[in-house]
Amino acid sequence: KVRKPKGARRVQRKVKKIKEPSATWMARFEELKQFKADFGHTRVPQKKELSAYPKLGRWVSRQREAYRNEKLRILQQQPKGSNKLSAKQIYLLHSIGMEWSIPTKKKKAKRS
């Protein structure tokens, strides 16, 4: 009987975790691709839902949060949520020019 090297089970479990994105995730990704084709960017609004893209803004926001979490995990820091992205998902989002951070509007200071 051949014995597996020490730690082989752990590696095998990690390999099983690398999987294809779900059909639901891929459907939202396709919506995002269409949104970008329509508007030229991936800054989907969250506050006002677009009838052609219901719930897409929230989904994009969760992808950004998950991306920030992955960066923190790489730096061995505590992520700020449980959202995760696989390397394949990150690749797919990068491939369409995902904007991972959105500049915030600064309020103008009142002049006295």
Side-chain angles (χ1 to χ4, degrees):
K1 185 175 179 179
V2 178
R3 294 187 70 181
K4 290 184 179 179
K6 196 173 186 177
R9 280 194 138 152
R10 193 173 341 116
V11 171
Q12 191 175 20
R13 273 186 256 137
K14 286 188 180 229
V15 169
K16 285 181 182 177
K17 287 182 183 179
I18 299 171
K19 58 184 177 182
E20 292 296 312
S22 70
T24 304
W25 191 93
M26 288 303 297
R28 287 279 192 247
F29 175 70
E30 291 300 323
E31 280 183 42
L32 180 60
K33 280 177 33 178
Q34 186 59 52
F35 179 91
K36 183 168 184 191
D38 291 348
F39 296 97
H41 60 77
T42 59
R43 298 181 306 273
V44 183
Q46 285 186 65
K47 299 211 176 185
K48 61 175 184 177
E49 291 292 330
L50 302 171
S51 59
Y53 302 99
K55 302 181 182 179
L56 184 60
R58 183 69 191 120
W59 181 84
V60 170
S61 176
R62 285 193 307 270
Q63 303 316 299
R64 287 188 182 109
E65 180 183 318
Y67 184 72
R68 287 189 297 270
N69 285 342
E70 294 306 325
K71 284 173 43 176
L72 289 172
R73 285 184 186 95
I74 289 168
L75 298 171
Q76 297 182 343
Q77 295 177 7
Q78 185 66 34
K80 294 184 169 123
S82 60
N83 290 351
K84 294 181 178 182
L85 280 177
S86 70
K88 174 111 183 198
Q89 289 168 319
I90 292 170
Y91 172 80
L92 288 170
L93 290 165
H94 271 301
S95 74
I96 63 165
M98 175 69 163
E99 297 166 75
W100 294 108
S101 60
I102 303 299
T104 57
K105 292 181 181 176
K106 293 182 181 180
K107 293 182 179 181
K108 294 180 181 178
K110 290 183 180 180
R111 294 185 183 189
S112 308

